[in-house]
Amino acid sequence: MDSIFGVTYNGGVIIAADQTNARSILIYQNNLDKISELSSHSMMGCAGPNADFVNFTQYIQKSLQLYEFSNDGLKLSTKAQANFCRGELAKALRKGPYQVNVLLGGYDAKKDGEVGDGSLYLMDYLGSMQKVNFGVQGYASNFCLSIFDREWKEGLNEAQALEIVDHCIGELAKRFLIAQPNFLIKVVDKDGVRVHKFGSDPEDN
Amino acid sequence: MSYDRAITVFSPDGHLFQVEYAMEAVRRGSTAVGVRGSDCVVLAVERRALAKLQDPRTIRKIVTVDDRCTLAFAGLTADARVLLQKTRVEAQTYRLTCEDAPSMEYLARFIARTQQKYTQRGGVRPFGIATLLAGFSDPEHGEGEGKPVLYQTDPAGTHSSWKAQVIGGRNSKSLREFLEKGYEDGMKEKEAVKLAVQALLEVVDSGAKNMEVCVIRRNETITMEEKDLDEVVKEIESEAEEGKKGGATAASGDE
């Protein structure tokens, strides 16, 4: 029931996720943060059962940290991080699969202070992966992919990309049977990962 | 499938010779000095003369284990790399399972425990390294701020906390006495750096390029730039000169 979508623009990536944590007919919480920060310049939105999502993202986070410490502070590129994730999903598939569908977005700096690139990777729980300009996980794909298809183009700026995201959220509110009142939007660009907007504060316990 | 024959066995008079030989390997390594100040820890290591064709940046004797923990070692570099990697994995595993950073004491205990294991297992020899671990402890009872700590481990597998310590090098005993004389409680960063560099100057040729100094502060760890180090060395040397001159004039005055 999770709706996760992401879009790249010139110089970064935006990932938005609903904040509902529910099972069957019961809503556990309304302010869950489904986009976890993997490193200073990458984040991963996951759709799937809470247990698998938490287990998987924390494992990936710590593994990436370990890589940094073991290799003298070297950070992995977004492409490398995505491939590592995909590898872990594939390895676990025949043992104890993680039932998570992932959208991994990150920013890679260019040399000489040029504006770097944002990149987005779509992965499913079976370990298939594709680099995409925009992607949607969950039922939301039925509603939002067509919006992205129509409105996304090369060279968008952050404001334009956010407009498309808002358009998608509006569409879901109008046409999706399951009410998802709160969405959390995170942006990653040259300054790192930051929360752009949330419907309900994830820190509020 | 594991080996069943131990290499480290007791001698008739109760020595573990392999462990003592490992400590000898540590003595053959280059010197590392650690000094605990009131708000920082200083690690200073001797940088042995390199071959001309070698890239000095690939020799690292002060390394990060974790966000809050820095380590200097003396002894066999290859052994250190293996032990260090084990500790790094342990630190991240602790963070994964406990959702909290491991304390300095935990990491020191882990390194010591690992070093001890290798003195009591079939088919392996002890690690030929001693380590100096620098960082800040957790605040007591969750209140206030943590204090700077300096831990030492050795090939036997013991770990202990020190105000100032030196490992490696042939003169570690005399250096320790030097540190005992010069150490004062509550030293600020400048004085702690000075003491560490002074101790190191007893064994290395003068000059910032023969040593690497790291200052571990509460929220960051910095490696001292060569020019800053040069200044400290100059200051120490000019003070030593004045001390000598003062002694000479006093002697001539007595005559």
Side-chain angles (χ1 to χ4, degrees):
Chain A
M1 305 305 167
D2 307 315
S3 304
I4 322 269
F5 39 90
V7 60
T8 59
Y9 62 91
N10 191 15
V13 184
I14 302 172
I15 297 187
D18 77 292
Q19 293 188 268
T20 314
N21 187 4
R23 254 244 167 98
S24 171
I25 57 169
L26 181 64
I27 300 176
Y28 294 134
Q29 78 184 105
N30 255 324
N31 64 349
L32 180 62
D33 185 354
K34 295 180 191 172
I35 308 172
S36 67
E37 291 165 35
L38 295 182
S39 72
S40 63
H41 285 76
S42 64
M43 57 185 178
M44 179 161 81
C46 286
N50 197 241
D52 285 344
F53 150 61
V54 167
N55 226 349
F56 183 67
T57 57
Q58 287 192 350
Y59 170 65
I60 300 293
Q61 251 171 1
K62 298 301 182 272
S63 300
L64 292 176
Q65 273 279 50
L66 180 63
Y67 186 88
E68 240 183 82
F69 284 119
S70 306
N71 292 284
D72 212 20
L74 190 71
K75 288 204 166 81
L76 282 173
S77 65
T78 311
K79 182 175 173 187
Q81 289 179 20
N83 277 286
F84 172 67
C85 262
R86 191 215 79 81
E88 291 302 311
L89 286 169
K91 250 193 272 186
L93 182 63
R94 305 282 177 188
K95 293 184 186 157
Y98 294 107
Q99 283 183 318
V100 287
N101 292 319
V102 167
L103 258 178
L104 196 155
Y107 172 86
D108 296 294
K110 276 213 184 99
K111 288 179 222 181
D112 311 326
E114 267 181 58
V115 172
D117 297 316
S119 45
L120 186 65
Y121 292 85
L122 186 74
M123 279 171 254
D124 76 357
Y125 71 103
L126 297 167
S128 67
M129 183 177 84
Q130 188 66 34
K131 182 173 189 297
V132 291
N133 294 318
F134 53 82
V136 192
Q137 297 281 17
Y139 285 116
S141 58
N142 297 338
F143 302 93
C144 302
L145 275 176
S146 39
I147 299 178
F148 279 125
D149 274 333
R150 183 183 254 207
E151 299 187 11
W152 190 89
K153 53 186 198 292
E154 281 275 358
L156 289 170
N157 63 29
E158 186 186 322
Q160 291 168 321
L162 281 168
E163 232 185 275
I164 307 179
V165 168
D166 281 336
H167 197 167
C168 289
I169 295 176
E171 189 68 18
L172 287 173
K174 193 172 187 190
R175 296 292 183 186
F176 189 24
L177 180 64
I178 300 181
Q180 291 173 325
N182 298 319
F183 271 84
L184 179 75
I185 306 177
K186 285 196 184 169
V187 180
V188 63
D189 57 16
K190 61 176 174 25
D191 300 319
V193 181
R194 66 174 192 283
V195 176
H196 171 74
K197 196 161 63 151
F198 53 71
S200 182
D201 191 352
E203 303 295 320
D204 182 5
N205 288 320
Chain B
M1 245 298 286
S2 58
Y3 294 96
D4 62 355
R5 207 181 74 76
I7 295 177
T8 310
V9 289
F10 279 114
S11 71
D13 57 348
H15 289 262
L16 283 173
F17 278 123
Q18 279 301 301
V19 173
E20 293 184 16
Y21 298 159
M23 294 188 184
E24 184 60 33
V26 171
R27 259 169 246 130
R28 286 180 51 148
S30 45
T31 313
V33 176
V35 175
R36 189 181 86 194
S38 63
D39 57 355
C40 71
V41 188
V42 180
L43 288 176
V45 301
E46 170 195 356
R47 219 190 260 165
R48 288 237 172 104
L50 298 166
K52 277 210 186 110
L53 294 173
Q54 195 172 37
D55 186 347
R57 288 171 305 167
T58 56
I59 310 287
R60 311 222 55 231
K61 282 204 62 182
I62 304 182
V63 286
T64 16
V65 171
D66 188 25
D67 259 341
R68 306 176 351 172
C69 177
T70 312
L71 182 148
F73 63 87
L76 300 169
T77 314
D79 283 8
R81 209 177 48 231
V82 169
L83 192 56
L84 190 58
Q85 188 58 13
K86 282 185 202 278
T87 315
R88 282 179 176 142
V89 173
E90 177 66 17
Q92 291 307 311
T93 310
Y94 187 100
R95 279 173 187 263
L96 185 57
T97 46
C98 306
E99 284 233 308
D100 195 12
S103 66
M104 292 297 304
E105 211 263 320
Y106 179 87
L107 289 172
R109 221 174 336 126
F110 172 78
I111 295 176
R113 195 185 331 133
T114 309
Q115 289 190 279
Q116 193 281 339
K117 265 202 204 135
Y118 279 66
T119 69
Q120 214 177 6
R121 235 176 73 185
V124 297
R125 60 162 176 81
F127 286 98
I129 60 164
T131 71
L132 280 176
L133 232 73
F136 281 78
S137 65
D138 293 327
E140 239 151 276
H141 312 299
E143 284 178 6
E145 287 188 316
K147 300 200 192 67
V149 287
L150 178 69
Y151 280 97
Q152 184 231 2
T153 71
D154 63 15
T158 57
H159 74 291
S160 41
S161 173
W162 292 74
K163 293 181 181 173
Q165 173 64 303
V166 55
I167 54 173
R170 292 267 158 228
N171 314 335
S172 46
K173 198 148 176 254
S174 57
L175 278 186
R176 214 163 289 134
E177 284 167 13
F178 179 89
L179 285 173
E180 275 173 30
K181 264 192 240 132
Y183 186 85
E184 285 165 12
D185 277 320
M187 281 194 287
K188 292 280 171 216
E189 186 179 313
K190 203 155 176 275
E191 296 152 323
V193 170
K194 197 155 150 223
L195 181 64
V197 174
Q198 256 176 319
L200 213 52
L201 280 173
E202 302 273 315
V203 288
V204 307
D205 294 327
S206 161
K209 59 176 166 50
N210 293 325
M211 53 179 88
E212 193 185 325
V213 179
C214 256
V215 181
I216 294 96
R217 297 179 190 139
R218 198 172 292 278
N219 294 321
E220 58 174 355
T221 303
I222 58 134
T223 310
M224 282 189 74
E225 302 272 332
E226 221 180 277
K227 55 175 170 55
D228 295 325
L229 248 185
D230 260 324
E231 276 179 39
V232 177
V233 172
K234 269 197 205 97
E235 199 189 308
I236 294 171
E237 288 183 336
S238 63
E239 277 177 25
E241 281 293 313
E242 278 169 40
K244 268 193 228 148
K245 273 195 214 132
T249 49
S252 56
D254 280 347
E255 276 172 17

